[in-house]
Amino acid sequence: MKRIIKVLAISFLFLAALTGCSKEKTYGLNEDVYVKNSQGEYRIKITDVERKVSKKNENYVEITFEVENISISGTLEKDEYNFMAYDKKGKSCSSYLILGQNNLKANKGEKYQIKIGYYLDSNDNYIKLDYSDNYLSGNKDLTFVLEW
């Protein structure tokens, strides 16, 4: 009986340690995040977040981010497709199209800014963005949590 209790206690401690180690790192506003992939390295930084109202009187949030190509020899192109957005309750947010953005790519040593938008159903000043370096893979590489 003592042996079973010992085994259970050790198993519980081991699982608790693993759970504590898996805490996800999140990034916020104006925080430089460096991403390395098989082609090189680039930087992402969310520089602004602003709640707005559309012409149809719908709440949305406009997020500005900067992308800098540090060492990728080809053209770097990142846009709204690299992000998935969630509200405070974990509900997925639909994209809000922001028109008039051109030249959303950077050669080595260059950077650009892009604005992306998401509809918000609630009045919470919170949005979580999961970022994927390769959105076709379905893998999440980074998480931004923005509160304003």
Side-chain angles (χ1 to χ4, degrees), residues 60-73:
Y60 72 98
V61 62
E62 184 177 277
I63 300 164
T64 305
F65 70 96
E66 182 178 273
V67 178
E68 180 181 14
N69 182 346
I70 295 171
S71 66
I72 296 173
S73 60

Side-chain angles (χ1 to χ4, degrees), residues 10-23:
I10 290 171
S11 298
F12 177 76
L13 289 173
F14 181 72
L15 287 173
L18 283 178
T19 303
C21 292
S22 66
K23 184 159 171 94

Side-chain angles (χ1 to χ4, degrees), residues 15-79:
L15 287 173
L18 283 178
T19 303
C21 292
S22 66
K23 184 159 171 94
E24 176 181 47
K25 167 84 173 125
T26 59
Y27 302 93
L29 191 64
N30 291 316
E31 195 168 347
D32 287 319
V33 181
Y34 294 87
V35 180
K36 289 183 182 180
N37 63 23
S38 61
Q39 296 150 342
E41 184 178 24
Y42 62 95
R43 179 185 60 84
I44 296 177
K45 179 180 183 178
I46 295 180
T47 59
D48 191 34
V49 58
E50 185 178 352
R51 179 181 289 279
K52 295 193 171 193
V53 178
S54 72
K55 291 179 182 178
K56 294 181 180 179
N57 207 28
E58 297 170 304
N59 286 321
Y60 72 98
V61 62
E62 184 177 277
I63 300 164
T64 305
F65 70 96
E66 182 178 273
V67 178
E68 180 181 14
N69 182 346
I70 295 171
S71 66
I72 296 173
S73 60
T75 301
L76 176 66
E77 297 181 59
K78 301 296 173 188
D79 55 29

